[in-house]
Amino acid sequence: MKVLVTGSSGYIGQHLCAFLKSKQHEVWGLDNTFGDETYIDEFRCIDITNQNDLIAGCWNDITFDAVIHLAALVQVGESVKDPLHYYQTNIQGTINCMKYISYDNFVFASTGAAAAPTSPYAISKFAAEQCVRQYLNDVPYTIFRFYNVIGSAGYEPTNPDGLFYNLMKAERTGQFNLYGDDYSTPDGTAIRDYVHVTDICRAHIHAYRYLENKGAQRIVSAVLVDKDLGREKPYRADHIGLVTENRYLFGFGLDYKGYLRNWPGIYACRTVY
């Protein structure tokens, strides 16, 4: 199968391209930055917000079996500072990909934060979901809502707002910072759903195979609907990897320090009370 991955240079994108190639798919990549292209048959460096570049450079003579649309801005804090940039990229960029790329199936990567959007990032992804639903009337699509993606199969996370990014950084700094100690939980820290990046990759393959067979349109929550995508039990953020207790798991010691939320009232992920 011929699969186009937008955002192929990102944390999930690089994992997904490698996973698709391991399953003998023809992998095409699109991003506005360069990453590991080892597992990509053909790559285009294109900004999805520029429709002229997208039209000129995006294989107009090819119809992909599936487009997996990962390309997006994902930092909650940055979205608060520059919301219009997020609306342009995550909403208009998604519209451009739907309009100017030819495909038989479309898979859109959204976020669990879209379930109750409070940040410009979450609002932009929720709005993009509505665009997918309304634009793709005759095209099979899946909308995935991912929560907290963690783990690695060779590629490090790229979102500095993310818990896993900060956990990886802790190897260099010796300190793991956890933001938010005023939640309505036993110890005040957030309880979150986590999903491993390789499970995300598997889910995308299942998605477009399902679409091919069923021709359906659906929205999937990464934890609440498809159990194969996440843990059935949410965890406290300070328990991921037992960072305050088990230094042998990582091979280095960590000091855990708690902070107030960076953006009071704004949730980067679903919190279970």
Side-chain angles (χ1 to χ4, degrees):
M1 294 185 63
K2 193 188 307 294
V3 182
L4 171 64
V5 178
T6 73
S8 59
S9 299
Y11 166 54
I12 296 176
Q14 291 182 100
H15 280 95
L16 180 59
C17 289
F19 193 83
L20 287 167
K21 181 54 68 175
S22 74
K23 301 299 181 183
Q24 310 305 312
H25 295 293
E26 189 174 340
V27 183
W28 300 55
L30 186 154
D31 208 311
N32 65 350
T33 60
F34 292 92
D36 182 7
E37 299 166 33
T38 303
Y39 303 101
I40 297 177
D41 294 288
E42 190 164 343
F43 176 80
R44 293 281 194 276
C45 188
I46 298 174
D47 183 347
I48 61 173
T49 64
N50 189 320
Q51 67 180 46
N52 293 327
D53 287 352
L54 200 56
I55 293 171
C58 201
W59 313 288
N60 295 322
D61 58 337
I62 294 175
T63 297
F64 294 97
D65 294 301
V67 168
I68 299 177
H69 181 46
L70 302 176
L73 298 176
V74 298
Q75 297 181 40
V76 175
E78 183 182 67
S79 78
V80 174
K81 297 176 183 177
D82 191 1
L84 293 182
H85 187 36
Y86 272 67
Y87 298 149
Q88 180 183 29
T89 300
N90 294 352
I91 302 173
Q92 187 59 53
T94 298
I95 293 172
N96 289 345
C97 288
M98 290 191 294
K99 287 182 64 176
Y100 302 119
I101 301 174
S102 181
Y103 48 86
D104 293 327
N105 301 280
F106 194 87
V107 181
F108 175 60
S110 186
T111 171
T118 55
S119 69
Y121 162 64
I123 292 169
S124 71
K125 297 296 278 187
F126 177 77
E129 289 182 2
Q130 310 315 306
C131 294
V132 171
R133 288 167 164 165
Q134 294 174 25
Y135 186 81
L136 299 181
N137 291 318
D138 301 318
V139 177
Y141 69 81
T142 291
I143 299 172
F144 277 128
R145 284 179 174 175
F146 302 140
Y147 290 96
N148 295 272
V149 183
I150 61 173
S152 176
Y155 302 101
E156 292 190 1
T158 55
N159 177 12
D161 285 350
L163 181 143
F164 190 59
Y165 178 96
N166 285 284
L167 183 60
M168 298 291 287
K169 186 176 68 174
E171 181 177 8
R172 299 189 301 271
T173 65
Q175 179 171 301
F176 175 65
N177 298 331
L178 181 64
Y179 292 90
D181 60 0
D182 59 345
Y183 293 93
S184 300
T185 57
D187 67 349
T189 61
I191 297 175
R192 296 171 175 173
D193 293 316
Y194 296 87
V195 57
H196 197 279
V197 65
T198 55
D199 289 327
I200 293 291
C201 295
R202 293 188 185 97
H204 280 91
I205 290 181
H206 289 312
Y208 70 70
R209 285 177 178 169
Y210 177 89
L211 293 175
E212 279 198 324
N213 294 331
K214 303 292 184 180
Q217 298 171 333
R218 61 179 185 162
I219 181 167
V220 178
S221 163
V223 173
L224 301 182
V225 175
D226 190 338
K227 294 181 181 179
D228 291 334
L229 293 184
R231 315 271 311 190
E232 295 182 28
K233 177 183 176 182
Y235 288 85
R236 289 205 339 243
D238 62 345
H239 277 188
I240 295 303
L242 301 177
V243 295
T244 63
E245 302 169 22
N246 190 346
R247 61 184 59 207
Y248 301 104
L249 183 61
F250 298 102
F252 57 88
L254 292 175
D255 291 324
Y256 152 66
K257 188 172 183 180
Y259 293 89
L260 295 176
R261 297 183 214 172
N262 282 331
W263 315 283
I266 291 179
Y267 296 81
C269 60
R270 185 172 75 92
T271 301
V272 181
Y273 295 113

